[in-house]
Amino acid sequence: MSRQSLTKAHAKISELTWEPTFATPATRFGTDYTFEKAPKKDPLKQIMRSYFPMEEEKDNRVFGAMDGAVRGNMFRQVQQRWLEWQKLFLSIIPFPEISAARAMPMAIDAVPNPEIHNGLAVQMIDEVRHSTIQMNLKKLYMNQYIDPAGFDMTEKAFANNYAGTIGRQFGEGFITGDAITAANIYLTVVAETAFTNTLFVAMPDEAAANGDYLLPTVFHSVQSDESRHISNGYSILLMALADERNRPLLERDLRYAWWNNHCVVDAAIGTFIEYGTKDRRKDRESYAEMWRRWIYDDYYRSYLLPLEKYGLTIPHDLVEEAWNRITNKGYVHEVARFFATGWPVNYWRIDTMTDTDFAWFEEKYPGWYSKYGKWWENYNRLAYPGRNKPIAFEDVGYQYPHRCWTCMVPALIREDMVVEKVDDQWRTYCSETCYWTDAVAFRPEYEGRETPNMGRLTGFREWETLHHNKDLADIVKDLGYVRDDGKTLIGQPHLDLDPQKMWTLDDIRGNTFMSPNVLLNEMSDAEREAHVAEYRANGTKVA
Amino acid sequence: MVDITDQKTRSFPTIEFTDSEAGALEFPSSKSRTYNYYKPAKLRATMYEDVTVDVQPDPDRHLTQGWIYGFGNGPGGYPKEWTKAQSSNWHAFLDPNEEWEQTIYRNNSAVVRQVSLCLENAKRARAYEGWNHAWVTFIQRNLGAWMHAENGIALHVFTSIQRSAPTNMINNAVAVAAAHKMRFAQDLALYNLDLSEAGIDFDGGAHRDVWQNAPEWQPTRRAVEELTAVGDWAELTFATNIVFEQLVGQLFRSELVMQISARNGDYITPTLVGTGENDYARDLAASRTLFQLLVRDEEHGAANKELFGRWLSTWVPKCLAAAQALQPIWSQPAEKTITFATSLDAAKDKFRTLLEEIGLDIPKELDQ
């Protein structure tokens, strides 16, 4: 279709809307933002007549590649270290995708601009595509990869796992609370515009380096839809900026959304890329280098900074602190170590690390070995059952961490942990910003104005609380993370599939699991202060 | 000769043969190659089930920590209280069309090709030049007005509903219905554009005034606008797909346009409108299955039946009023091959059959 015809066609399609006079659409999802002064921005000249064949063509390429991968025995060359982490990633990501579809009517309700509704509805269909195409990719992995355990219980595991809950914020944040906070700022302006770069571009590149070219095939196809979604988000953002009353809310939501995305996405994707790869070429970009390129330069400098010309205060301090956490505070390494500590309650296996890995980490993150090397050597030493407990229950100089009440990644940068009594409960936070999110941002009043539509933090937020004071073997059994012989665990701290070297329920029985938050709330003030001081100091101790 | 002395050394990852194929070793779970967290409807799970079931978590199934975000005025996630309808197992609903991404794009692309080819052929054959004035006016006014209804239902009914239902299976089926409606509305609008440029006496902008002001279309517009104002997602689905589409949508598309176009020298319009009919047949199959399940629910079936009876008594009069108001347009074409009464009777008969299939009593208003 020529540009002229496209413009005419789009103008004609825009005639389909009308001003209702008998009744107006129900507002199911409220917002504290106002759009009375908003200019009408129309971001997306998308016509279904061209949309469907375009997507069908993209699908044909994806499914052709999937066919080719099976015929070409791709799994002869796939690194198990890599694919094991996909059991976690692919259990999480279809939910955020489908949640993005569900978020679209929230944005439609909130934004009184029929011109943009069309684009948002098209995005809804895109997201159904993404969710189901990713579920199908996972199914192929389950069918073709040597170890299907973990893939086979994927959505159940996602729903009852500590790491699944961290990832679930990435979907629930899109569909709950203030419609603009959720469906525009958190989903589109930050998650899609910034973090899909690392999710859907950087990570698939790493997959290819590990012999898996299906992840890039599927996720690059997904990413090619994202530019339209980014356009939707930017249009709504500009409309919101037209009203001065929205500015404090925009600034609040940018801080929350940026920080939560950093906490959640960098934790997961950073770990997958750095600890899931076997590609240890010195000139291979580290996650920090990728982040600098994709997030700092492409998003922060090119997208966020120009918003200052509209008078918006950008959270420079939080961007810099995210960078600081990744490069100087070992955020990704701490998360990887935490995941590996918790291996019995994982539904994926985590490989041991080799000297080649150690050398690469030291090259990319100077000082890595002195902080993490010993722990990983212990991990290697304690990898097999029989002579020792799981590493979490052995003395290797590692204290099981407190969970951040807000982002649910533990407070791993221990010197930064915030402890406050909020809503009559002692809660721990990984950072001041996560504390602020719970205590200040997600409240019915913000800076003296009522914000009744803002969401609330709910649910059993500390996963460990559900399993407090239970035997580890019973927890694993209750979660269902047991293989089809009824005793061998799905999660293993190594990749050896020799049944003699795989941990069973009997090997882990006798270890009682305690919730740090329950224990914290049982302490006296003096005990708690001493405990917190020790916890914070532990962050600087060499293991 | 090409100088190859100064080439930069390329860095690339090395391939390693890992023998990580299925079946390479036997160990616990090495043959566990089906999703095992749900029970498929039949012995073997379908692709649709595998990519759809449990993707939207549910505290009643595997979700242990509950929803971790709430709304300012209530719980988050997908509260069952967002409809008055009740189910002892919402997860029992499976889309009979088994829609997932491949079916969505394959089916809709096939329609796009059918419509495009039809319109290209029409232009080539100068098909519109043979239309009489009355038919041109009929299409200009009435098909033009109807496309608004399709678009309104796409954006403010089905797109809206798919945030609210308690399972992924219901929400995805409704999302697909939204895509159908949006595509069909746009196809009608672009058809209107083609006709505007066809060199015939066709006013491409007339549809707006007809939809907004023509007396015969106002009860239809009222019904559509009132539908969009419904907050209960199941009522909205019921009122739209079970009542409005039967008594107004099918009446106009199937019992009028599809019946009279050919006799008025128009072989193009039925091709387009037929795609909308086909979409509706698919979407209705999903709605029929859903409401059948709710009526047959052992625990809540009786209450649901009573609830749906109330919904019928709300929406049947509104939709019948819309249908009755459309009567004058049956007289507008030069070739009047069917009467309004015949068309309405046919629509009512289909509606009765549908209600019987669902297991609902026939509302008395239908016999008036």
Side-chain angles (χ1 to χ4, degrees), chain A residues 390-431:
Chain A
I391 190 168
F393 296 89
E394 293 281 356
D395 183 9
V396 291
Y398 185 79
Q399 181 185 0
Y400 189 84
H402 280 284
R403 183 79 56 174
C404 176
W405 193 261
T406 299
C407 74
M408 298 180 175
V409 179
L412 295 166
I413 301 167
R414 295 172 188 240
E415 64 271 29
D416 287 351
M417 184 173 75
V418 175
V419 182
E420 289 289 345
K421 194 166 197 177
V422 177
D423 297 338
D424 292 326
Q425 179 185 22
W426 285 102
R427 295 176 180 173
T428 50
Y429 301 90
C430 72
S431 55

Side-chain angles (χ1 to χ4, degrees), chain B residues 65-234:
Chain B
Q65 287 178 260
W67 296 107
I68 50 180
Y69 288 108
F71 286 98
N73 60 356
Y78 297 85
K80 295 180 177 63
E81 295 72 31
W82 284 359
T83 176
K84 290 195 179 72
Q86 297 174 81
S87 172
S88 51
N89 179 16
W90 284 106
H91 294 264
F93 171 81
L94 296 173
D95 179 2
N97 303 312
E98 305 202 331
E99 296 278 13
W100 69 294
E101 64 109 26
Q102 268 205 313
T103 63
I104 295 170
Y105 295 105
R106 280 180 180 172
N107 293 338
N108 283 283
S109 295
V111 172
V112 167
R113 279 190 284 276
Q114 177 183 329
V115 168
S116 303
L117 196 59
C118 174
L119 295 178
E120 281 167 27
N121 288 338
K123 278 185 195 166
R124 200 175 297 126
R126 301 191 310 277
Y128 310 123
E129 291 175 16
W131 289 7
N132 61 51
H133 179 69
W135 186 250
V136 170
T137 306
F138 178 89
I139 295 296
Q140 174 183 292
R141 291 178 61 84
N142 302 317
L143 201 62
W146 180 252
M147 65 194 188
H148 293 272
E150 296 283 351
N151 196 59
I153 290 171
L155 292 177
H156 298 293
V157 172
F158 291 130
T159 300
S160 182
I161 289 169
Q162 60 90 48
R163 165 64 185 87
S164 299
T167 75
N168 205 39
M169 289 73 83
I170 302 172
N171 287 328
N172 274 7
V174 179
V176 173
H180 285 155
K181 286 289 182 197
M182 195 154 66
R183 195 214 68 242
F184 183 47
Q186 292 189 4
D187 278 347
L188 295 180
L190 297 176
Y191 182 38
N192 172 290
L193 183 61
D194 269 13
L195 291 167
S196 306
E197 296 174 343
I200 59 174
D201 187 18
F202 184 90
D203 179 357
H207 64 92
R208 282 192 284 203
D209 185 55
V210 175
W211 179 245
Q212 204 76 32
N213 299 310
E216 68 272 24
W217 281 103
Q218 295 320 291
T220 298
R221 182 163 70 84
R222 175 190 284 269
V224 171
E225 290 180 11
E226 288 180 350
L227 282 172
T228 67
V230 173
D232 180 316
W233 69 265

